[in-house]
Amino acid sequence: MTLPITRSPLNPILSAKDIPYDATLVFNAGVCKWQGRYVMLFRNDHGIAEEEYRAARARGEVKGFSTNVGIATSADGVRWKVGPKPVFQMRDDEVLRAYDPRLTVVEGRPVLCFAMDTRHGLRGGVAVTDDFERFEVVSLSVPDNRNMVLFPEKIGGRYVRLERPMPVYSRGAKEAFDIWLSESSDLRFWGESRLVLGAERVPFATGKIGPAAPPVKTPRGWLATFHAVRYVDADLPAWHAGWRKEYLAGLMLLDLDDPSKVVGICREPLLAPETPCEKEGFRGGVIFPGGMILEDGGEVKIYYGAADTVECLATADLSDLLALVEPM
Ligand code: BMA
């Protein structure tokens, strides 16, 4: 089945060669429209070159990248100008790194959701900013939770986020992780948590699923991408042996008034790894959407990390995307 979504001929739209400071893997970006331009925050893993990394892994050593978050801006959402230095980074005795930024403008203010690796587990964070220079972290979850994305407006008087906790004991299968939702009155305290979509309901997932880009509002419901893992039998091209997880982009529609209710889902992956920059890289076969913009004319821009190495763009028509969604 050919789905009505078109990859940008300029892909990858952002990669390490575009970055004016140390950069190796530039991917899993969040994107929003703010004050008349597009703003992208991207993950930058750096500090080790490809050959050095491959050689260390082949010797059985584990080499970690350093990670920061950089900024790029754009007038058209396609061609990007990268800021001179990283804008967001977390590291101390406890915190190893912050990564996978997701951006939502809510009540005119940019909000950043991010993942954080710590010595005591993976946490999901929420930060607010007024200038993309200073970020105030207002909330950090208990472990293990991440992939948080905020809806662009309050629903029923509360802020709402999708998230992906990792229940290792209770789900009966390795990495059977699902999409959840929580609400907050102030972005700090989160509760009323409930299940949105179990991994077993996604026909093309054989492993975990999780939120991807922050949802966009349409007359028929909240349109949301998600990521889904499909295990494969042979190693995929990667900078290390043993990589056997394909990451696919999924599409679902959530109820406008109660977004914990799934109205429908696209039964096929919206995007599966196809092009060289999606199939080959640090971890080949990975597509991970992090940004979605609905333009006034109905065009939807979907930004996604490819192969954990570069950032790509695909576009589709809103009506075509809505037509793909079938009742659950
Ligand atoms: C997930 C996260 C993502 C990454 C993906 C594929 O667990 O770490 O940041 O893109 O794996 O490696």
Side-chain angles (χ1 to χ4, degrees), residues 146-167:
R146 68 174 171 195
N147 302 133
M148 282 158 191
V149 295
L150 187 70
F151 285 73
E153 59 186 70
K154 284 182 172 171
I155 303 167
R158 296 226 178 102
Y159 300 102
V160 180
R161 74 183 182 196
L162 299 176
E163 61 198 322
R164 208 288 302 283
M166 300 181 222

Side-chain angles (χ1 to χ4, degrees), residues 300-317:
V300 180
K301 292 188 171 77
I302 296 176
Y303 298 88
Y304 60 99
D308 281 4
T309 304
V310 295
E311 187 66 21
C312 289
L313 167 67
T315 56
D317 198 74

